[in-house]
Amino acid sequence: MKGVKKITDGIFWIGGSDKRLERFENIFPIPEGVSYNSYFIDDEKTAVFDTADITVSDQYLENLKDSLDGRKLDYLVVLHMEPDHCSLISLVAGLFPEVTIVGNAKTFTFMEQFFPESASYNKLEVKEGDTLSTGKHTFQFVNAPMVHWPEVMFAYDTASKALLSADAFGTFGALDGGIFSDEYDFEKDFLDSARRYYANIVGKYGMQVQAVLKKAAGLDIQMILPLHGPVWRKDIAWFIDKYQKWSTYEPETDDIAIIYGSLYGHTASAAQALASCIREKTNADIKVFDVSGTDVSYLIGEVWRCKKLVLMCPTYNNGIYPPMESFLSDMNALGVQNRVFALAQNGTWAPVTVKLMTEKISTLKNVTIVDESLTIKSALHKNDQESLERFADAIIGA
Ligand code: FEO
């Protein structure tokens, strides 16, 4: 039972943590690992909410068998039909053929697409507002479409007042022994990962997150049980407030991120000179990132954190330096809103990136592009000091 963690009366965590996977969804680097949470309900009927990723199957099945302790599994509830949570469905259904799989119409459509054999499973189709009772616990289903797939549901347990929130309120980061957020220094250990997870995975669906937050506001929530990362039983309002900000594209801080692309270091030096100049004039918090050396998912996390984004890059093949272009495309795909941009370009001849970046950024909603831009000819020189100061002042004043 070492892998099983008690959450509250009758609810146990039986998931697994993976520290070997390099990239989540084969895109996002996760040096901090990731946990796949599954919840076992020990009641008159037994139930499991979601399974886990196949990479933790041994750990997961051991936890499930230990929890059942010889009893049969009555229900497998599928809140999210993405493979990081559903890849063990067939295995579980094979081990417990009498189990009833609980999901909505879309869940079962996706299930048959992934697992054609699931056509023969015992199924119970539910919809928004339906309930499932296991005895002492009664779970009420709440649709949460596009948080982050269309079939997603939350389940609210009226007995424990726990909200099983699927991907929402999750984070990258393996669990190191503790299961509750208050067993960690969450701001130090998880907040950057939680923001990066939200922004990259769910960031595009702010409106849908808002819709489900409004529904959740009507519930007396004492615990949040996400599918990744620690469970919340304290300071829930603090984390909901983060989601409120993130889903409305409100900057979490007034900080400045300077993100530069640089072939030979000249734009990098200009970025550092700008950061120094801003620091000398204010006590603003500034971070400087190399767009080529920083995985774009981290930059997207910074976009959700910072109010002001300074983009500096050379012209390349008469276009935007490709890593910067890729970053801009990602911002566009995720529907970034409500930020202040300042733009700088470098070109040994014919610099055009301020114009091209302006065109791309102008397609985002509620953004301000600072009037003052900075143009560097090959490298920043002493006689550029005045324009650097003007650029810094414009950023500070924006
Ligand atoms: Fe953790 Fe959308 O899957």
Side-chain angles (χ1 to χ4, degrees):
M1 297 286 281
K2 281 202 183 73
V4 176
K5 296 274 189 184
K6 181 173 177 179
I7 303 290
T8 187
D9 287 347
I11 303 184
F12 296 82
W13 180 89
I14 58 164
S17 276
D18 186 353
K19 289 200 168 192
R20 294 200 300 179
L21 187 72
E22 281 194 17
R23 286 178 182 267
F24 187 79
E25 293 185 356
N26 214 7
I27 305 176
F28 310 111
I30 44 166
E32 65 275 62
V34 65
S35 79
Y36 304 103
N37 300 343
S38 167
Y39 300 98
F40 177 75
I41 311 304
D42 186 1
D43 204 348
E44 290 158 32
K45 299 274 190 184
T46 60
V48 159
F49 279 76
D50 295 290
T51 64
D53 189 80
I54 198 142
T55 53
V56 297
S57 59
D58 287 352
Q59 192 181 341
Y60 176 77
L61 290 174
E62 185 183 314
N63 287 344
L64 176 58
K65 285 177 193 166
D66 280 352
S67 300
L68 283 166
D69 198 20
R71 294 172 73 189
K72 71 184 173 83
L73 179 61
D74 294 302
Y75 297 111
L76 167 54
V77 184
V78 180
L79 297 181
H80 187 12
M81 193 55 214
E82 188 165 7
D84 56 329
H85 308 292
C86 76
S87 67
L88 303 177
I89 285 179
S90 271
L91 218 57
V92 170
L95 286 171
F96 306 100
E98 291 172 10
V99 70
T100 296
I101 316 275
V102 182
N104 58 41
K106 277 201 177 74
T107 316
F108 292 126
T109 301
F110 294 176
M111 198 177 292
E112 284 194 37
Q113 288 171 195
F114 281 111
F115 307 111
E117 67 273 22
S118 68
S120 64
Y121 295 167
N122 304 319
K123 295 189 188 98
L124 173 64
E125 189 175 306
V126 293
K127 56 185 186 323
E128 168 115 340
D130 285 355
T131 56
L132 176 75
S133 175
T134 54
K136 294 188 184 75
H137 297 266
T138 298
F139 298 91
Q140 183 182 332
F141 294 101
V142 178
N143 288 344
M146 299 320 297
V147 186
H148 102 272
W149 275 19
E151 86 298 354
V152 169
M153 296 186 292
F154 291 178
Y156 177 71
D157 175 24
T158 54
S160 63
K161 303 192 188 310
L163 181 72
L164 291 96
S165 63
D167 276 341
F169 304 105
T171 177
F172 294 136
L175 298 171
D176 292 333
I179 180 62
F180 297 104
S181 60
D182 56 272
E183 293 177 283
Y184 298 89
D185 180 340
F186 190 87
E187 282 197 68
K188 175 169 93 48
D189 298 334
F190 281 103
L191 182 57
D192 285 345
S193 299
R195 184 188 310 106
R196 184 164 71 95
Y197 170 87
Y198 175 87
N200 286 278
I201 308 277
V202 196
K204 183 180 176 63
Y205 305 111
M207 228 161 59
Q208 289 86 345
V209 174
Q210 276 290 301
V212 80
L213 284 178
K214 283 196 182 93
K215 285 193 224 175
L219 302 169
D220 175 14
I221 299 168
Q222 299 296 322
M223 303 183 96
I224 295 179
L225 282 55
L227 286 176
H228 301 285
V231 165
W232 289 81
R233 63 181 174 185
K234 287 184 183 166
D235 303 322
I236 291 175
W238 176 85
F239 200 37
I240 290 179
D241 184 60
K242 293 285 178 206
Y243 260 66
Q244 186 66 27
K245 280 204 166 76
W246 295 341
S247 61
T248 51
Y249 306 93
E250 187 186 332
E252 198 179 325
T253 68
D254 287 338
D255 293 358
I256 301 170
I258 299 176
I259 298 153
Y260 69 83
S262 188
L263 282 77
Y264 300 107
H266 302 96
T267 313
S269 296
Q272 290 297 349
L274 176 66
S276 298
C277 191
I278 296 173
R279 270 199 203 284
E280 281 161 16
K281 290 168 182 281
T282 71
N283 55 3
D285 276 313
I286 308 164
K287 276 194 177 177
V288 180
F289 298 90
D290 178 351
V291 75
S292 302
T294 313
D295 183 88
V296 70
S297 68
Y298 289 89
L299 300 177
I300 291 294
E302 287 299 292
V303 169
W304 253 259
R305 191 179 68 80
C306 297
K307 178 181 176 187
K308 297 179 184 178
L309 305 162
V310 184
L311 309 186
M312 308 176 67
C313 89
T315 300
Y316 196 90
N317 287 336
N318 279 335
I320 301 171
Y321 185 55
M324 186 65 84
E325 182 148 41
S326 157
F327 173 45
L328 286 163
S329 296
D330 229 24
M331 277 196 269
N332 196 281
L334 292 168
V336 168
Q337 299 181 25
N338 212 18
R339 293 295 183 277
V340 174
F341 287 88
L343 305 175
Q345 60 190 354
N346 190 354
T348 300
W349 72 98
V352 291
T353 46
V354 164
K355 176 177 166 285
L356 297 177
M357 289 196 290
T358 299
E359 284 167 11
K360 287 205 173 267
I361 291 164
S362 300
T363 63
L364 302 174
K365 282 189 192 160
N366 302 325
V367 294
T368 302
I369 302 176
V370 173
D371 282 342
E372 191 76 32
S373 64
L374 177 70
T375 295
I376 304 156
K377 284 290 184 73
S378 304
L380 195 68
H381 299 287
K382 269 196 181 149
N383 59 6
D384 292 318
Q385 186 60 31
E386 206 178 302
S387 14
L388 185 73
E389 301 264 351
R390 265 203 317 272
F391 189 47
D393 287 340
I395 294 165
I396 294 162

